[in-house]
Amino acid sequence: MTSPDRREHAKQVLREQRIETPSWGYGNSGTRFKVFAQAGVPRTPEEKIDDAATVHRFTGVAPLVSLHIPWDRVEDYAALAEHAQERGVQLGAINANVFQDDAYRLGSVCNPDPAVRRKATDHLLECIDIMDATGSDDLKLWFADGTNYPGQDSIRERQDRLAEALAETYARLTGEQRLLLEYKFFEPAVYTTDVPDWGTSFAHCVALGPQAQVVLDTGHHAPGTNIEFIVATLLRHGRLGAFDFNSRFYADDDLMAGAADPFQLFRIMHELVQADAVSGVPATGSSTGQPISFFLDQCHNIEPKVAAMIRSVTNVQEATAKALLVDTEALTAAQRSGDVLAAYSIVKDAYDTDVRPLLGDLREDLGLDPDPSAAYARSGYFEQVAAERVGGEQAGWGA
Ligand code: RM4
Ligand code: MN
């Protein structure tokens, strides 16, 4: 491919890319010590959807919004889906929450008490009912389960309990619905975590069946972990279902995607591009035959939320665009001939390219402003919602 052809191809792929934003990223959040309130924060799931629709209006590539239950619990999910549609977006993944009830002090689906496990599994099943009502295909599961002390519980029995709950949940899926299992190396439990790594998630997914896939949250690894290696491995096995993008320095910092280490995000995208997996088509060999979902999972504690989400979407786009500009034929030739420096230069040259003009062109083709952040700032949306959203209770995850 010539360089102008690569540019055109990149634009085509970028036009199809879909980045799903999280409803909870629009609500108040904070640290373990304090949840900070901001002006203009949504008070209802509908208002969160309005914010998500605003991100889509300026970026053109964020037409889906993930829900978190019970944070986004409503009486009528079909009506909520309709509200989203009226605003130009769609409801996406349903995230289960089995980590904020007193009953879950010793875990949810891995709890030693069968009654607590029942309650937790029933919540997972309720989430599938919600998916049926909203038309969503993705059930995203993250468990805070684990232990704090050696001997506190049987590590193996906890795995058996987890497998049992997942099997019951998986059996309830219909059609194209997927079970996406997330891992996180620690937190909140500090001695053992029941799903600490991609290998544990992968093993459970394989045991469940093809509609079970792994979620890779970029903030959920030990410092120094080579995330792109995990991406490549999961792609090889057809089990990479989704990303939760965010950025980190130390732990699960939930910063804006691409903020702390844009080169890492680029390296992840490079693996995906090489597997032809960013264009909304299924990656070769995917166990479900469905495309990988690109979720954002982040919280904005000190930065304005809608503006931060727009910035995160454009950061993901920039990393993708750079990865699409890698001269794959030249790279393969350099790799096969063992030319280490040439191979590195090809990858690094793509990373060093200023892709902002290309993305500006793409946005103009889509009838959008070439600079979403500036256009949003000029739009007056923030001032408007800050004035309108007074009274009521702001959404937030509480801590
Ligand atoms: C977890 C995990 C989940 C997210 C919750 C809020 O650390 O990343 O994906 O739903 O946080
Ligand atoms: Mn996550």
Side-chain angles (χ1 to χ4, degrees), residues 24 68 71 95 99 140 142 182 184 217 220 244 252 297:
W24 57 101
H68 218 300
W71 296 337
N95 289 254
F99 49 86
K140 180 139 73 71
W142 172 72
E182 188 170 346
K184 181 176 185 175
D217 183 314
H220 288 190
D244 265 2
D252 190 20
D297 176 14

Side-chain angles (χ1 to χ4, degrees), residues 61-76:
V61 292
L64 291 153
V65 52
S66 315
L67 301 185
H68 218 300
I69 309 297
W71 296 337
D72 295 313
R73 194 170 265 150
V74 291
E75 280 289 300
D76 185 345

Side-chain angles (χ1 to χ4, degrees), residues 200-278:
T200 307
S201 174
F202 177 80
H204 281 285
C205 288
V206 169
L208 289 168
Q211 290 301 111
Q213 293 186 315
V214 179
V215 181
L216 188 158
D217 183 314
T218 47
H220 288 190
H221 305 85
T225 302
N226 183 328
I227 296 178
E228 56 272 29
F229 180 83
I230 300 173
V231 171
T233 302
L234 289 173
L235 281 170
R236 245 194 104 235
H237 292 284
R239 292 286 176 163
L240 181 57
F243 284 94
D244 265 2
F245 285 124
N246 53 52
S247 187
R248 71 188 284 275
F249 288 105
Y250 294 102
D252 190 20
D253 303 340
D254 280 334
L255 304 178
M256 296 184 293
D261 189 350
F263 189 47
Q264 179 187 62
L265 186 54
F266 162 80
R267 298 192 312 262
I268 291 170
M269 288 304 177
H270 174 59
E271 288 309 316
L272 291 172
V273 167
Q274 296 307 307
D276 209 9
V278 284

Side-chain angles (χ1 to χ4, degrees), residues 74 105 169-170 352:
V74 291
R105 192 169 58 93
T169 308
Y170 186 85
D352 287 338

